[in-house]
Amino acid sequence: MERTVFFSAQAGRTIEAPQSASATFAIGDIVRHKIFDFRGVIFDIDPVFANSEEWYNSIPEDIRPHRDQPFYHLFAESDESSYVAYVSQQNLLGDSIGGPVEHPDVHELFETFEDGRYRLRRALTH
């Protein structure tokens, strides 16, 4: 399998990844975590794990996800708060609630919510 490299500012290092990766979800999709009680809207996708080693090692080993899969950046919400989450593909499900996410930063990147997903602001699309 051909591989490529990219620099991850979040990880502070160069990351090696497959030349092509298959993501189950897309930017603007609303997802729910399989284990923890939160949901969110996807605003960025890494083809493989691209965060710090400290972050990765802070996850208990028995639930630590595999590195070689897509990881999603979410504007997340729980009953208690709103925050940014970084979640592996294996730990996400499509959200069955279907309503908008009440995160304060959603409107910085997305302009509308329709048909169960968000649409990027036109100025941010290619």
Side-chain angles (χ1 to χ4, degrees):
M1 175 185 291
E2 290 188 46
R3 299 192 66 86
T4 188
V5 295
F6 67 96
F7 181 78
S8 167
Q10 189 169 1
R13 61 189 167 86
T14 300
I15 306 292
E16 186 177 302
Q19 188 109 17
S20 74
S22 180
T24 301
F25 304 103
I27 292 173
D29 286 351
I30 298 177
V31 293
R32 176 170 296 283
H33 198 282
K34 285 183 179 179
I35 300 169
F36 302 110
D37 189 25
F38 70 86
R39 62 194 290 265
V41 57
I42 296 168
F43 69 87
D44 196 11
I45 305 170
D46 294 333
V48 294
F49 175 77
N51 204 329
S52 70
E53 290 303 307
E54 180 182 10
W55 184 93
Y56 188 76
N57 291 327
S58 72
I59 301 169
E61 196 169 338
D62 60 326
I63 63 169
R64 193 175 295 157
H66 301 287
R67 295 172 182 261
D68 209 14
Q69 64 178 309
F71 276 73
Y72 299 84
H73 300 259
L74 311 176
F75 288 134
E77 66 180 8
S78 67
D79 290 339
E80 295 85 35
S81 65
S82 295
Y83 50 95
V84 172
Y86 190 64
V87 185
S88 66
Q89 183 165 277
Q90 76 185 51
N91 284 322
L92 291 176
L93 298 168
D95 183 58
S96 61
I97 293 175
V101 172
E102 302 299 327
H103 189 286
D105 296 335
V106 165
H107 299 292
E108 290 180 22
L109 297 180
F110 301 100
E111 60 185 8
T112 61
F113 177 78
E114 58 184 58
D115 300 325
R117 66 185 316 271
Y118 283 93
R119 306 287 178 237
L120 273 174
R121 292 190 170 283
R122 289 189 192 276
L124 300 175
T125 59
H126 298 222

mmCIF file of all heavy atoms in Angstrom, residues 44-71:
data_model
loop_
_atom_site.group_PDB
_atom_site.id
_atom_site.type_symbol
_atom_site.label_atom_id
_atom_site.label_comp_id
_atom_site.label_asym_id
_atom_site.label_seq_id
_atom_site.Cartn_x
_atom_site.Cartn_y
_atom_site.Cartn_z
ATOM 1 N N ASP A 44 -13.526 18.417 10.856
ATOM 2 C CA ASP A 44 -12.264 18.088 10.188
ATOM 3 C C ASP A 44 -12.032 16.586 10.331
ATOM 4 O O ASP A 44 -12.550 15.965 11.267
ATOM 5 C CB ASP A 44 -11.106 18.866 10.808
ATOM 6 C CG ASP A 44 -9.848 18.879 9.943
ATOM 7 O OD1 ASP A 44 -9.917 18.470 8.768
ATOM 8 O OD2 ASP A 44 -8.786 19.303 10.451
ATOM 9 N N ILE A 45 -11.236 16.024 9.411
ATOM 10 C CA ILE A 45 -10.953 14.592 9.429
ATOM 11 C C ILE A 45 -9.470 14.382 9.165
ATOM 12 O O ILE A 45 -8.907 14.950 8.227
ATOM 13 C CB ILE A 45 -11.763 13.845 8.343
ATOM 14 C CG1 ILE A 45 -13.259 14.121 8.495
ATOM 15 C CG2 ILE A 45 -11.477 12.338 8.406
ATOM 16 C CD1 ILE A 45 -14.100 13.627 7.320
ATOM 17 N N ASP A 46 -8.831 13.562 10.005
ATOM 18 C CA ASP A 46 -7.458 13.125 9.771
ATOM 19 C C ASP A 46 -7.521 11.695 9.228
ATOM 20 O O ASP A 46 -8.277 10.873 9.756
ATOM 21 C CB ASP A 46 -6.655 13.123 11.079
ATOM 22 C CG ASP A 46 -6.452 14.516 11.645
ATOM 23 O OD1 ASP A 46 -6.453 15.489 10.859
ATOM 24 O OD2 ASP A 46 -6.280 14.635 12.876
ATOM 25 N N PRO A 47 -6.724 11.353 8.215
ATOM 26 C CA PRO A 47 -6.797 10.000 7.644
ATOM 27 C C PRO A 47 -6.323 8.912 8.610
ATOM 28 O O PRO A 47 -6.711 7.756 8.493
ATOM 29 C CB PRO A 47 -5.900 10.080 6.411
ATOM 30 C CG PRO A 47 -4.983 11.224 6.677
ATOM 31 C CD PRO A 47 -5.759 12.191 7.521
ATOM 32 N N VAL A 48 -5.464 9.285 9.559
ATOM 33 C CA VAL A 48 -4.973 8.402 10.619
ATOM 34 C C VAL A 48 -4.811 9.247 11.878
ATOM 35 O O VAL A 48 -4.952 10.474 11.828
ATOM 36 C CB VAL A 48 -3.606 7.754 10.256
ATOM 37 C CG1 VAL A 48 -3.739 6.796 9.075
ATOM 38 C CG2 VAL A 48 -2.555 8.814 9.982
ATOM 39 N N PHE A 49 -4.459 8.616 12.997
ATOM 40 C CA PHE A 49 -4.243 9.351 14.237
ATOM 41 C C PHE A 49 -3.176 10.421 14.023
ATOM 42 O O PHE A 49 -2.069 10.125 13.563
ATOM 43 C CB PHE A 49 -3.808 8.391 15.355
ATOM 44 C CG PHE A 49 -3.461 9.086 16.623
ATOM 45 C CD1 PHE A 49 -4.456 9.563 17.450
ATOM 46 C CD2 PHE A 49 -2.139 9.298 16.971
ATOM 47 C CE1 PHE A 49 -4.138 10.232 18.623
ATOM 48 C CE2 PHE A 49 -1.805 9.955 18.135
ATOM 49 C CZ PHE A 49 -2.810 10.422 18.965
ATOM 50 N N ALA A 50 -3.495 11.671 14.358
ATOM 51 C CA ALA A 50 -2.561 12.788 14.158
ATOM 52 C C ALA A 50 -2.625 13.756 15.332
ATOM 53 O O ALA A 50 -2.730 14.961 15.172
ATOM 54 C CB ALA A 50 -2.872 13.506 12.844
ATOM 55 N N ASN A 51 -2.587 13.211 16.529
ATOM 56 C CA ASN A 51 -2.580 14.016 17.748
ATOM 57 C C ASN A 51 -1.291 13.668 18.500
ATOM 58 O O ASN A 51 -0.471 12.902 18.005
ATOM 59 C CB ASN A 51 -3.841 13.715 18.578
ATOM 60 C CG ASN A 51 -4.230 14.837 19.511
ATOM 61 O OD1 ASN A 51 -3.387 15.561 20.000
ATOM 62 N ND2 ASN A 51 -5.517 14.980 19.755
ATOM 63 N N SER A 52 -1.133 14.179 19.699
ATOM 64 C CA SER A 52 0.098 13.949 20.449
ATOM 65 C C SER A 52 0.140 12.553 21.071
ATOM 66 O O SER A 52 -0.896 11.934 21.325
ATOM 67 C CB SER A 52 0.237 15.003 21.553
ATOM 68 O OG SER A 52 -0.738 14.776 22.559
ATOM 69 N N GLU A 53 1.342 12.079 21.314
ATOM 70 C CA GLU A 53 1.522 10.795 21.996
ATOM 71 C C GLU A 53 0.952 10.860 23.409
ATOM 72 O O GLU A 53 0.390 9.885 23.906
ATOM 73 C CB GLU A 53 3.000 10.404 22.035
ATOM 74 C CG GLU A 53 3.556 10.024 20.683
ATOM 75 C CD GLU A 53 2.788 8.881 20.042
ATOM 76 O OE1 GLU A 53 2.617 7.822 20.683
ATOM 77 O OE2 GLU A 53 2.351 9.050 18.890
ATOM 78 N N GLU A 54 1.097 12.009 24.044
ATOM 79 C CA GLU A 54 0.535 12.192 25.394
ATOM 80 C C GLU A 54 -0.982 11.984 25.370
ATOM 81 O O GLU A 54 -1.539 11.298 26.238
ATOM 82 C CB GLU A 54 0.877 13.599 25.900
ATOM 83 C CG GLU A 54 0.340 13.894 27.277
ATOM 84 C CD GLU A 54 0.649 15.317 27.731
ATOM 85 O OE1 GLU A 54 1.115 16.144 26.923
ATOM 86 O OE2 GLU A 54 0.392 15.595 28.915
ATOM 87 N N TRP A 55 -1.656 12.560 24.378
ATOM 88 C CA TRP A 55 -3.114 12.390 24.257
ATOM 89 C C TRP A 55 -3.445 10.911 24.061
ATOM 90 O O TRP A 55 -4.323 10.368 24.730
ATOM 91 C CB TRP A 55 -3.641 13.226 23.087
ATOM 92 C CG TRP A 55 -5.122 13.195 22.940
ATOM 93 C CD1 TRP A 55 -6.022 14.077 23.468
ATOM 94 C CD2 TRP A 55 -5.901 12.218 22.230
ATOM 95 N NE1 TRP A 55 -7.309 13.703 23.125
ATOM 96 C CE2 TRP A 55 -7.255 12.569 22.370
ATOM 97 C CE3 TRP A 55 -5.592 11.091 21.490
ATOM 98 C CZ2 TRP A 55 -8.286 11.830 21.796
ATOM 99 C CZ3 TRP A 55 -6.612 10.350 20.931
ATOM 100 C CH2 TRP A 55 -7.947 10.734 21.086
ATOM 101 N N TYR A 56 -2.730 10.244 23.147
ATOM 102 C CA TYR A 56 -3.002 8.837 22.840
ATOM 103 C C TYR A 56 -2.788 7.955 24.077
ATOM 104 O O TYR A 56 -3.609 7.097 24.393
ATOM 105 C CB TYR A 56 -2.105 8.382 21.690
ATOM 106 C CG TYR A 56 -2.438 7.008 21.172
ATOM 107 C CD1 TYR A 56 -3.548 6.807 20.361
ATOM 108 C CD2 TYR A 56 -1.645 5.909 21.501
ATOM 109 C CE1 TYR A 56 -3.867 5.540 19.876
ATOM 110 C CE2 TYR A 56 -1.959 4.649 21.020
ATOM 111 C CZ TYR A 56 -3.061 4.463 20.214
ATOM 112 O OH TYR A 56 -3.375 3.219 19.749
ATOM 113 N N ASN A 57 -1.700 8.178 24.775
ATOM 114 C CA ASN A 57 -1.381 7.359 25.946
ATOM 115 C C ASN A 57 -2.279 7.642 27.141
ATOM 116 O O ASN A 57 -2.327 6.838 28.069
ATOM 117 C CB ASN A 57 0.089 7.524 26.320
ATOM 118 C CG ASN A 57 1.003 6.905 25.278
ATOM 119 O OD1 ASN A 57 0.651 5.902 24.661
ATOM 120 N ND2 ASN A 57 2.154 7.507 25.063
ATOM 121 N N SER A 58 -3.017 8.749 27.107
ATOM 122 C CA SER A 58 -3.947 9.048 28.208
ATOM 123 C C SER A 58 -5.222 8.210 28.125
ATOM 124 O O SER A 58 -5.976 8.124 29.094
ATOM 125 C CB SER A 58 -4.307 10.537 28.214
ATOM 126 O OG SER A 58 -5.160 10.850 27.126
ATOM 127 N N ILE A 59 -5.451 7.556 26.987
ATOM 128 C CA ILE A 59 -6.626 6.697 26.816
ATOM 129 C C ILE A 59 -6.317 5.339 27.462
ATOM 130 O O ILE A 59 -5.268 4.748 27.179
ATOM 131 C CB ILE A 59 -6.954 6.504 25.321
ATOM 132 C CG1 ILE A 59 -7.210 7.846 24.648
ATOM 133 C CG2 ILE A 59 -8.148 5.573 25.145
ATOM 134 C CD1 ILE A 59 -7.272 7.775 23.139
ATOM 135 N N PRO A 60 -7.213 4.844 28.313
ATOM 136 C CA PRO A 60 -6.959 3.524 28.916
ATOM 137 C C PRO A 60 -6.708 2.472 27.830
ATOM 138 O O PRO A 60 -7.388 2.431 26.809
ATOM 139 C CB PRO A 60 -8.256 3.229 29.679
ATOM 140 C CG PRO A 60 -8.845 4.575 29.954
ATOM 141 C CD PRO A 60 -8.459 5.434 28.779
ATOM 142 N N GLU A 61 -5.694 1.649 28.042
ATOM 143 C CA GLU A 61 -5.244 0.697 27.027
ATOM 144 C C GLU A 61 -6.357 -0.227 26.542
ATOM 145 O O GLU A 61 -6.421 -0.559 25.352
ATOM 146 C CB GLU A 61 -4.081 -0.118 27.565
ATOM 147 C CG GLU A 61 -3.322 -0.843 26.490
ATOM 148 C CD GLU A 61 -2.023 -1.446 26.984
ATOM 149 O OE1 GLU A 61 -1.493 -0.986 28.010
ATOM 150 O OE2 GLU A 61 -1.558 -2.383 26.322
ATOM 151 N N ASP A 62 -7.272 -0.613 27.426
ATOM 152 C CA ASP A 62 -8.321 -1.551 27.029
ATOM 153 C C ASP A 62 -9.359 -0.940 26.093
ATOM 154 O O ASP A 62 -10.108 -1.666 25.450
ATOM 155 C CB ASP A 62 -9.002 -2.172 28.256
ATOM 156 C CG ASP A 62 -9.656 -1.140 29.157
ATOM 157 O OD1 ASP A 62 -9.134 -0.018 29.287
ATOM 158 O OD2 ASP A 62 -10.707 -1.467 29.744
ATOM 159 N N ILE A 63 -9.387 0.397 25.980
ATOM 160 C CA ILE A 63 -10.308 1.042 25.027
ATOM 161 C C ILE A 63 -9.575 1.935 24.022
ATOM 162 O O ILE A 63 -10.198 2.650 23.253
ATOM 163 C CB ILE A 63 -11.429 1.840 25.740
ATOM 164 C CG1 ILE A 63 -10.854 2.988 26.563
ATOM 165 C CG2 ILE A 63 -12.314 0.942 26.560
ATOM 166 C CD1 ILE A 63 -11.902 3.971 27.061
ATOM 167 N N ARG A 64 -8.252 1.877 24.026
ATOM 168 C CA ARG A 64 -7.443 2.706 23.120
ATOM 169 C C ARG A 64 -7.677 2.267 21.673
ATOM 170 O O ARG A 64 -7.527 1.102 21.336
ATOM 171 C CB ARG A 64 -5.963 2.565 23.487
ATOM 172 C CG ARG A 64 -5.081 3.604 22.839
ATOM 173 C CD ARG A 64 -3.658 3.486 23.339
ATOM 174 N NE ARG A 64 -3.582 3.789 24.756
ATOM 175 C CZ ARG A 64 -2.606 3.367 25.563
ATOM 176 N NH1 ARG A 64 -1.626 2.614 25.094
ATOM 177 N NH2 ARG A 64 -2.617 3.694 26.835
ATOM 178 N N PRO A 65 -8.040 3.206 20.791
ATOM 179 C CA PRO A 65 -8.322 2.852 19.392
ATOM 180 C C PRO A 65 -7.052 2.608 18.585
ATOM 181 O O PRO A 65 -5.964 3.065 18.954
ATOM 182 C CB PRO A 65 -9.067 4.073 18.867
ATOM 183 C CG PRO A 65 -8.563 5.206 19.701
ATOM 184 C CD PRO A 65 -8.280 4.622 21.061
ATOM 185 N N HIS A 66 -7.201 1.892 17.496
ATOM 186 C CA HIS A 66 -6.093 1.686 16.566
ATOM 187 C C HIS A 66 -5.749 3.027 15.914
ATOM 188 O O HIS A 66 -6.625 3.843 15.631
ATOM 189 C CB HIS A 66 -6.481 0.683 15.481
ATOM 190 C CG HIS A 66 -6.873 -0.645 16.033
ATOM 191 N ND1 HIS A 66 -5.968 -1.527 16.555
ATOM 192 C CD2 HIS A 66 -8.089 -1.235 16.157
ATOM 193 C CE1 HIS A 66 -6.590 -2.599 16.977
ATOM 194 N NE2 HIS A 66 -7.885 -2.458 16.751
ATOM 195 N N ARG A 67 -4.477 3.255 15.650
ATOM 196 C CA ARG A 67 -4.015 4.520 15.055
ATOM 197 C C ARG A 67 -4.334 4.633 13.566
ATOM 198 O O ARG A 67 -4.510 5.721 13.058
ATOM 199 C CB ARG A 67 -2.499 4.653 15.212
ATOM 200 C CG ARG A 67 -2.025 4.779 16.613
ATOM 201 C CD ARG A 67 -0.501 4.692 16.606
ATOM 202 N NE ARG A 67 0.039 4.749 17.934
ATOM 203 C CZ ARG A 67 0.530 5.853 18.487
ATOM 204 N NH1 ARG A 67 0.567 6.961 17.804
ATOM 205 N NH2 ARG A 67 0.996 5.831 19.701
ATOM 206 N N ASP A 68 -4.331 3.508 12.860
ATOM 207 C CA ASP A 68 -4.402 3.521 11.398
ATOM 208 C C ASP A 68 -5.855 3.481 10.907
ATOM 209 O O ASP A 68 -6.270 2.557 10.217
ATOM 210 C CB ASP A 68 -3.606 2.341 10.837
ATOM 211 C CG ASP A 68 -3.042 2.627 9.458
ATOM 212 O OD1 ASP A 68 -3.028 3.802 9.047
ATOM 213 O OD2 ASP A 68 -2.619 1.665 8.787
ATOM 214 N N GLN A 69 -6.613 4.504 11.278
ATOM 215 C CA GLN A 69 -8.008 4.669 10.866
ATOM 216 C C GLN A 69 -8.303 6.163 10.907
ATOM 217 O O GLN A 69 -7.583 6.928 11.552
ATOM 218 C CB GLN A 69 -8.949 3.918 11.809
ATOM 219 C CG GLN A 69 -8.924 4.458 13.239
ATOM 220 C CD GLN A 69 -9.893 3.747 14.154
ATOM 221 O OE1 GLN A 69 -11.057 3.616 13.834
ATOM 222 N NE2 GLN A 69 -9.396 3.276 15.304
ATOM 223 N N PRO A 70 -9.349 6.615 10.252
ATOM 224 C CA PRO A 70 -9.685 8.043 10.329
ATOM 225 C C PRO A 70 -10.015 8.480 11.765
ATOM 226 O O PRO A 70 -10.612 7.718 12.533
ATOM 227 C CB PRO A 70 -10.915 8.167 9.428
ATOM 228 C CG PRO A 70 -10.763 7.043 8.453
ATOM 229 C CD PRO A 70 -10.184 5.914 9.274
ATOM 230 N N PHE A 71 -9.597 9.698 12.091
ATOM 231 C CA PHE A 71 -9.943 10.347 13.359
ATOM 232 C C PHE A 71 -10.653 11.651 13.018
ATOM 233 O O PHE A 71 -10.255 12.363 12.086
ATOM 234 C CB PHE A 71 -8.691 10.627 14.197
ATOM 235 C CG PHE A 71 -8.245 9.451 15.015
ATOM 236 C CD1 PHE A 71 -7.642 8.356 14.413
ATOM 237 C CD2 PHE A 71 -8.434 9.440 16.394
ATOM 238 C CE1 PHE A 71 -7.236 7.264 15.162
ATOM 239 C CE2 PHE A 71 -8.026 8.358 17.160
ATOM 240 C CZ PHE A 71 -7.430 7.261 16.536
#
